[in-house]
Amino acid sequence: MSADMTPADKAKYVSARRAADLVENGMRVGLGTGSTAAFLVRRLGEMVRDEGLKIRGVPTSTRTADLARAEGIEVITLEQAGWLDLTIDGADEFDNDLNLIKGGGGALLQEKIVAMASDRMIVIADAGKHVETLGAFPLPVEIIPFGWQATRKLIEELLISMDVQGHDTALRMASESPFVTDEGNYILDLDLKRIGDAQQLAQALNQIPGVVENGLFIDICDTVVIGYDDGRLELRDLTKGTIVREQLDLPDRDNLFTDIAK
């Protein structure tokens, strides 16, 4: 394990490596987006090359697709897959009921579509992503560019009647221009601080004209693999109601994951 890796990177590595063990030969696997998911894709690539693992991956973004192909993973579309056995993705936050906030990487729409088209969704995360109540991480909302200012105003008006602590909204930027998703849309980040009723908020946001999707993943995730920087990990299975604690030996050698973009 490279000394250059941060404690958070080591925790992500641990969770991703353990989750990769849950992938079985012949599976159709949804591949998430973000730094933690990139650790997973690299590990699955190793398993394809070194262990003969045969899987087909459905990426949730163009950058994940590019990485998967570079790692030797067969990439197919969701249309070609039809349905997925498993999706593994990161999260910006998760609570005790495994409800999530996702979209920090800007791919929430494809991530939610792929997750919902899977028999099972596993989240991989470091322990810092666990919260008692969602909302500390700004909630991403994907909106169409046409009339986005009006959509933003409608969202801000909605938030007044919602059980949230903050009401600030911001258009996500990429340098001097608005950030644009793979689908050509914008993202508003809602600084809510605390979300009292995540399901109610998710439903209300999606009723606003111009809103494509929001980053609240409610009742979608089945299992979370939580990694720690010392190699400890927890597998929490909501369906079984179990928490399994394990220890993963961190390799001494320089690993191949240090060049993953944050």
Side-chain angles (χ1 to χ4, degrees):
M1 177 70 63
S2 171
D4 294 335
M5 292 187 72
T6 67
D9 284 339
K10 292 178 182 179
K12 293 174 183 179
Y13 169 88
V14 168
S15 63
R17 190 173 183 90
R18 181 62 180 87
D21 292 339
L22 302 175
V23 176
E24 299 176 4
N25 212 41
M27 275 188 169
R28 295 159 296 179
V29 183
L31 304 175
T33 295
S35 58
T36 311
F39 280 91
L40 171 79
V41 174
R42 295 275 179 140
R43 173 55 184 159
L44 290 176
E46 281 189 346
M47 295 167 69
V48 166
R49 296 189 302 273
D50 301 340
E51 302 173 21
L53 178 69
K54 296 185 183 300
I55 60 171
R56 291 179 290 171
V58 175
T60 55
S61 67
T62 54
R63 59 186 179 276
T64 296
D66 290 342
L67 178 60
R69 291 190 183 98
E71 290 295 321
I73 298 171
E74 181 183 355
V75 171
I76 60 174
T77 66
L78 185 56
E79 288 74 22
Q80 291 171 321
W83 196 259
L84 302 177
D85 300 290
L86 178 67
T87 287
I88 306 178
D89 203 348
D92 299 303
E93 284 186 348
F94 67 91
D95 65 14
N96 291 328
D97 295 321
L98 303 192
N99 295 315
L100 320 170
I101 286 182
K102 289 180 52 55
L108 68 95
L109 179 57
Q110 288 191 25
E111 289 173 334
K112 188 173 284 191
I113 291 172
V114 169
M116 290 293 291
S118 304
D119 288 336
R120 185 182 183 193
M121 181 189 187
I122 297 175
V123 159
I124 48 179
D126 60 271
K129 300 300 194 304
H130 181 213
V131 297
E132 292 298 322
T133 304
L134 298 176
F137 189 91
L139 174 65
V141 179
E142 186 160 341
I143 61 175
I144 66 172
F146 175 79
W148 74 266
Q149 297 95 333
T151 303
R152 179 179 184 175
K153 181 174 177 59
L154 289 170
I155 290 174
E156 291 172 342
E157 290 176 352
L158 170 70
L159 294 179
I160 296 174
S161 63
M162 292 288 105
D163 183 9
V164 297
Q165 185 174 334
H167 303 89
D168 293 335
T169 67
L171 180 67
R172 188 177 298 185
M173 302 295 291
S175 186
E176 301 297 323
S177 302
F179 174 86
V180 178
T181 69
D182 280 354
E183 292 74 36
N185 298 317
Y186 293 167
I187 288 182
L188 286 177
D189 291 308
L190 314 186
D191 187 9
L192 306 179
K193 296 180 172 61
R194 182 192 60 80
I195 301 173
D197 190 332
Q199 186 170 33
Q200 179 192 45
L201 178 61
Q203 292 173 347
L205 283 169
N206 282 6
Q207 295 302 310
I208 294 176
V211 171
V212 180
E213 190 51 84
N214 68 82
L216 288 166
F217 284 51
I218 310 298
D219 298 329
I220 298 176
C221 176
D222 307 294
T223 304
V224 62
V225 183
I226 308 169
Y228 296 82
D229 61 5
D230 60 359
R232 288 180 297 127
L233 60 90
E234 293 182 6
L235 285 84
R236 300 188 182 187
D237 189 313
L238 193 65
T239 303
K240 297 178 181 179
T242 58
I243 300 177
V244 177
R245 295 179 175 87
E246 300 177 2
Q247 179 73 39
L248 179 70
D249 292 331
L250 298 177
D252 294 327
R253 63 179 174 81
D254 285 348
N255 67 81
L256 301 177
F257 305 134
T258 53
D259 60 343
I260 294 176
K262 305 297 186 291

